[in-house]
Structure formats: C-alpha cells, structure tokens
Amino acid sequence: SMPSISIELGEISFGAAISACTSGGKWQTAIQLLSQMPAMAIIPTIVSYSAAVSACSKAAWQQSLSFVRSMRYSKLSPDVVTASAAMESCQHSRWPRAVCLVELMTTARVVQDQVSFRTLLGTLAEENSCWQQAFGVISRM
C-alpha cells in the first residue's frame, strides 16, 4: 500500500501549474486555475498573473490583456515579464493595443527591457504604416 501524501495548495503550486499550462498550450486550464485561486482564499500574485498572461498570449489575446487590467484592479503593478508577454499577445495586426500597453507600463513605472521593446517593434514592423510609431518607440529606448 502506498503512503498517503498531503499537498498544501498555495500560490506557488498554482503559479507552477499555470506556468505548466503555458508550456503545454493549455490556456483554458490556465484561465480556470487563476480564477479558482480566490475561491480557495489564495491571492494571485504578479507571478501567477504573468504566467496566465503568457499562457493566453498566443491563442486568447483578449484574455491576456484582460489579466493585465485585472492586475491593476487588484493593486498589483505589472512587471517587465508581464509586459513582454502582453506585448506578444498584441502581434498580428493588434499594434494599437501594443502601443497602449507601452504607455500603460510607462505610467505604471515599469522599466521596459530589450525583450519588451523588441516584441513591440516586431508587432509594429508587421504593419507597413507603423514606421512613425516604431520610430517613437526607438527614441524612448
């Protein structure tokens, strides 16, 4: 007979599970896990939100951006990891949202890194008419 193991669920467990969803392409499960946390008296942190943003960035871009808004309502400031993942969700003709994200991150005093700027520039480069926005981003670097 196998010994019984008791696992205490907490933010770290949920964060790890949500991160695993990113690797496995299971964005729906990431959404469910993040939404279950408050019901279990577990407060989502920047880490769990960032993992959910990453999990949703390719297939569910609207949900990804919604998580960024939810962080702000929860009095959490998105960090550079969250910003980069959210920028990724803005690719494929969603460049105005990417520009708004940069402005939001600047207002929230999130220090942007090369990854977030590169992601934004890649998003803007997909559109032929976005050279002015790309130039503005480069001038802020």
Side-chain angles (χ1 to χ4, degrees), residues 13-40:
S13 303
F14 273 89
I18 294 168
S19 292
C21 292
T22 302
S23 302
K26 303 289 185 184
W27 59 271
Q28 300 98 330
T29 305
I31 293 170
Q32 290 174 343
L33 287 168
L34 189 67
S35 67
Q36 289 174 359
M37 291 174 73
M40 299 180 75

Side-chain angles (χ1 to χ4, degrees), residues 52-54 56-58 60-69 85-86 89:
V53 169
S54 292
C56 295
S57 67
K58 289 186 175 67
W61 66 271
Q62 292 150 324
Q63 185 62 54
S64 181
L65 297 179
S66 175
F67 286 144
V68 174
R69 282 190 299 276
S89 72

Side-chain angles (χ1 to χ4, degrees), residues 81-98:
V81 174
T82 311
S84 295
M87 291 290 173
E88 188 177 328
S89 72
C90 292
Q91 291 179 339
H92 310 298
S93 301
R94 293 185 283 275
W95 66 266
R97 286 181 171 76

